[in-house]
Amino acid sequence: MYRFEQKEFDRSVVKSIGGLYEDLDVSAYYTSHLNELIEKPEQHLYLAHLTLPVNNDTLVSYLQDELDDFGVFTDCHLGVYSAALNKYLYTDVLTSTGVREKIKARVPVQARPYDYIALYFPNRRQYILSQMNFLITSSAILLIVLVLFSAGLYYFYRQKFLNETQKDFIHNFTHEFKTPVSVISLAADVLTNKNIIEKPAKLATYAGIVKYQSDYLHTQIEKLLEFAYTESGQLHLKKEPVNIHQVIHEAVNNLAPLIHEKNAQLTYDLNAVDPMLQADRGYILIVITNLVDNAVKYSKEPHISIATKDSGRGLIFSVADNGIGIEKKELKKIFRKFYRVRSGDTYVTKGFGLGLIFVKTILDAHGGKIKVESLPGKGSTFIVELPRH
Ligand code: ADP
């Protein structure tokens, strides 16, 4: 827009000079095109051919009228240059208000082999900018409106996302707890039957069901409590020397029923020469358990590889699976609270969407890092780096 306004200004000045030629009745002398009669050696200066002599008062009066007519309302310093003497014979200042002021004209001298009048506009830049004031103000307002609008949209979608994930959580939560409770209730009904004493095999089966389901409920409640505990910002680490290889075996041991149920194959590449860390053992166990649990949960026929190695900063361990994988656009989201990847309208397995955020919180507290590499349909690898101290 600024460049456009500059061109407009140039055009108005050229037209004013054209009008001046006509007023002075000299246009017939100049057969060339108007643009060829006007030179612009610098941004603010215009030199227009005009053979002397010329009446200065008439010149000033005509020029003032033409500039007004073509809307050039900024101070114009005028110089009448004689080629023979190589200097201005006359200078004057035409003010934007039309009032003659006693300002000394400052017209840069340009040596030329012909007579000319010089029009110098020292305030050209400010004048053009002032012409654009409306545009600048309206653009600024538009920009502010756009920014506010985008911020509004952003918050709206964030809120929508939070509402949806929260709703999902409640749904998962109820689902996760309703089934075991109904199963326990049914089993309890059977167990309260007087005749059950006479059928010890049946009694054992139903007692087993109650035990299994209440254990399951217990683990789920533990998970939620652990998370709620860290949510309230109370992650106090009790650091001690931890052998990561031992913790890996313990985590796998804890998951034995699930591993057995899904017939998961586990391989180990525990290559860390020094498996010792200064860390909170309980929390590191939760990290590994969650990652292995996910690897088993999200694979149809799980082949899981657990590896460790030394790194410059500390220790790296990874859990790789051959499961459903995660799409690139979901990779960042899976570390958010309650977030779970959907497949169509449903979820692949049960869960609360709290495992990975818990893992991340624990790793952050230890100064560790986690990253994921995944190919949908091929599998995922979660890589954790922990400092030794
Ligand atoms: P949950 O497993 O209870 O849903 P997580 O926080 O542990 O919660 O995981 C969040 C989501 O990340 C899961 O719902 C799943 O969609 C995805 N995810 C996590 N681990 C894996 C994995 N090994 N393979 C495929 N998807 C995974």
Side-chain angles (χ1 to χ4, degrees):
M1 268 320 282
Y2 181 71
R3 243 178 265 150
F4 173 78
E5 288 290 337
Q6 271 184 325
K7 279 201 183 127
E8 270 301 291
F9 185 86
D10 285 345
R11 227 170 281 145
S12 303
V13 172
V14 169
K15 280 187 193 159
S16 307
I17 295 171
L20 180 71
Y21 283 155
E22 277 173 20
D23 295 341
L24 292 172
D25 231 1
V26 294
S27 52
Y29 296 138
Y30 300 122
T31 48
S32 318
H33 192 265
L34 196 55
N35 273 329
E36 289 160 23
L37 296 171
I38 301 167
E39 205 190 321
K40 205 174 152 219
E42 22 175 298
Q43 282 279 358
H44 302 233
L45 184 66
Y46 301 79
L47 311 181
H49 286 247
L50 189 70
T51 315
L52 302 183
V54 65
N55 181 309
N56 293 335
D57 286 341
T58 322
L59 177 70
V60 168
S61 144
Y62 284 156
L63 185 60
Q64 182 82 65
D65 287 350
E66 293 300 339
L67 289 176
D68 287 353
D69 284 355
F70 288 101
V72 182
F73 298 111
T74 178
D75 290 358
C76 170
H77 293 216
L78 168 73
V80 179
Y81 174 81
S82 154
L85 302 173
N86 186 25
K87 65 170 191 177
Y88 288 119
L89 297 183
Y90 174 77
T91 57
D92 202 349
V93 178
L94 285 71
T95 60
S96 52
T97 51
V99 181
R100 307 297 296 270
E101 282 177 33
K102 288 254 170 288
I103 316 171
K104 195 162 161 30
R106 293 181 286 122
V107 198
V109 178
Q110 299 278 337
R112 291 289 183 278
Y114 52 83
D115 298 339
Y116 64 78
I117 54 164
L119 308 189
Y120 180 63
F121 299 93
N123 306 326
R124 176 179 182 272
R125 201 182 156 72
Q126 293 90 311
Y127 175 69
I128 293 176
L129 283 177
S130 73
Q131 296 290 95
M132 292 171 57
N133 262 355
F134 171 72
L135 202 81
I136 293 171
T137 321
S138 48
S139 303
I141 293 173
L142 194 73
L143 203 74
I144 292 169
V145 169
L146 269 179
V147 168
L148 289 179
F149 183 68
S150 319
L153 264 186
Y154 171 76
Y155 282 110
F156 172 75
Y157 277 108
R158 211 177 70 147
Q159 203 53 40
K160 194 163 165 261
F161 174 81
L162 284 181
N163 283 350
E164 264 167 27
T165 41
Q166 223 128 329
K167 231 190 282 165
D168 282 352
F169 168 73
I170 292 168
H171 175 262
N172 294 332
F173 180 86
T174 4
H175 188 81
E176 206 93 324
F177 283 79
K178 227 166 79 184
T179 323
V181 170
S182 340
V183 173
I184 290 173
S185 164
L186 283 175
D189 282 348
V190 177
L191 290 176
T192 46
N193 191 322
K194 280 179 204 141
N195 301 334
I196 194 86
I197 303 285
E198 289 147 30
K199 298 172 187 156
K202 213 172 174 189
L203 187 124
T205 312
Y206 281 91
I209 292 174
V210 172
K211 169 85 178 109
Y212 177 81
Q213 294 296 345
S214 44
D215 280 353
Y216 175 77
L217 276 179
H218 181 77
T219 4
Q220 296 306 326
I221 291 167
E222 281 284 291
K223 265 194 196 172
L224 281 177
L225 282 181
E226 273 163 5
F227 183 76
Y229 193 61
T230 48
E231 266 279 275
S232 54
Q234 300 179 18
L235 197 70
H236 296 305
L237 302 181
K238 275 186 254 114
K239 287 203 179 173
E240 55 182 321
V242 175
N243 182 325
I244 193 109
H245 292 166
Q246 270 179 10
V247 184
I248 289 173
H249 289 302
E250 191 177 334
V252 171
N253 238 2
N254 289 348
L255 293 167
L258 178 74
I259 291 172
H260 183 71
E261 186 190 317
K262 291 209 59 173
N263 198 15
Q265 309 295 316
L266 267 71
T267 48
Y268 299 92
D269 289 303
L270 307 182
N271 297 326
V273 178
D274 178 7
M276 295 309 289
L277 283 177
Q278 197 60 25
D280 186 308
R281 194 172 198 285
Y283 282 134
I284 297 298
L285 179 66
I286 291 174
V287 168
I288 300 175
T289 312
N290 268 316
L291 294 181
V292 179
D293 184 33
N294 279 349
V296 180
K297 255 176 26 183
Y298 297 104
S299 307
K300 257 205 185 115
E301 291 167 7
H303 278 85
I304 292 153
S305 155
I306 304 174
T308 63
K309 63 176 180 188
D310 302 286
S311 86
R313 244 178 107 223
L315 214 143
I316 292 179
F317 74 85
S318 59
V319 180
D321 64 53
N322 60 335
I324 55 170
I326 305 158
E327 281 191 39
K328 208 169 167 203
K329 64 175 178 14
E330 306 278 8
L331 282 180
K332 269 208 181 122
K333 298 188 195 160
I334 57 172
F335 291 96
R336 293 184 191 162
K337 193 166 49 170
F338 304 140
Y339 191 81
R340 311 193 66 222
V341 180
R342 285 167 186 264
S343 130
D345 254 2
T346 52
Y347 295 108
V348 182
T349 64
K350 292 192 226 164
F352 293 130
L354 292 176
L356 287 181
I357 183 170
F358 195 27
V359 164
K360 180 129 195 342
T361 315
I362 295 173
L363 291 176
D364 284 348
H366 279 86
K369 282 190 289 193
I370 182 161
K371 68 174 181 181
V372 198
E373 288 165 3
S374 188
L375 274 178
K378 293 261 188 270
S380 316
T381 307
F382 286 76
I383 304 156
V384 170
E385 184 170 12
L386 273 168
R388 280 204 196 272
H389 298 286

